[in-house]
Amino acid sequence: MTTFSPILLLWYVFPIIVLFASVFLVSALPLNKKFQLKGPDVAVPFLWFGMHQLSQAAFSLSILPYLIISILFLGILLVVFQAYYYGEITYKRFFKMFWRLTFLFTMLTYGLLIIMDIVLYL
């Protein structure tokens, strides 16, 4: 059982801070107009770092390798889906869809990690 520490509270609110900061960064710099990036596109690597730190602090185990393997599997499924549904694989559409699904999967996993830590603490 883990003990509660203030650093865990920081990692609980870290996704909210990262999302606000990435939206501000994208709007302040010309990333939106030049590269068509949105806030969640920039936030993904920071969320991976936060997940690594949270899992290390809470469980003494990093879930980052398992997350990367899951994201690679997601990419394979997405390629098969696009080849079947569209009949072709367009790189721009694939990478955009892949990165946005990676963000959704990362946020879902981060939320589940926070819930698991709170439940194990109780």
Side-chain angles (χ1 to χ4, degrees):
M1 178 179 280
T2 62
T3 59
F4 185 77
S5 66
I7 194 73
L8 282 178
L9 186 62
L10 169 74
W11 295 120
Y12 289 168
V13 296
F14 186 72
I16 298 167
I17 296 168
V18 165
L19 284 176
F20 281 126
S22 64
V23 168
F24 175 74
L25 182 70
V26 167
S27 64
L29 299 174
L31 297 175
N32 188 14
K33 295 177 180 118
K34 188 173 183 182
F35 299 109
Q36 298 177 348
L37 290 176
K38 297 192 184 321
D41 297 334
V42 177
V44 170
F46 298 107
L47 291 173
W48 289 347
F49 174 75
M51 287 178 65
H52 171 72
Q53 294 297 327
L54 177 63
S55 64
Q56 283 286 340
F59 305 113
S60 300
L61 171 75
S62 176
I63 66 162
L64 194 59
Y66 304 108
L67 178 74
I68 291 172
I69 290 171
S70 301
I71 289 171
L72 292 174
F73 185 66
L74 175 72
I76 292 169
L77 289 177
L78 186 60
V79 164
V80 171
F81 167 75
Q82 283 191 354
Y84 177 75
Y85 188 74
Y86 296 113
E88 66 180 1
I89 299 169
T90 308
Y91 289 117
K92 183 177 180 180
R93 179 178 39 207
F94 168 74
F95 285 122
K96 190 174 193 177
M97 191 181 295
F98 173 70
W99 199 249
R100 303 273 166 89
L101 285 174
T102 299
F103 169 74
L104 291 175
F105 183 71
T106 302
M107 284 300 292
L108 177 71
T109 307
Y110 204 108
L112 289 174
L113 187 64
I114 290 172
I115 291 170
M116 282 179 19
D117 186 46
I118 291 172
V119 167
L120 287 177
Y121 177 70
L122 295 176

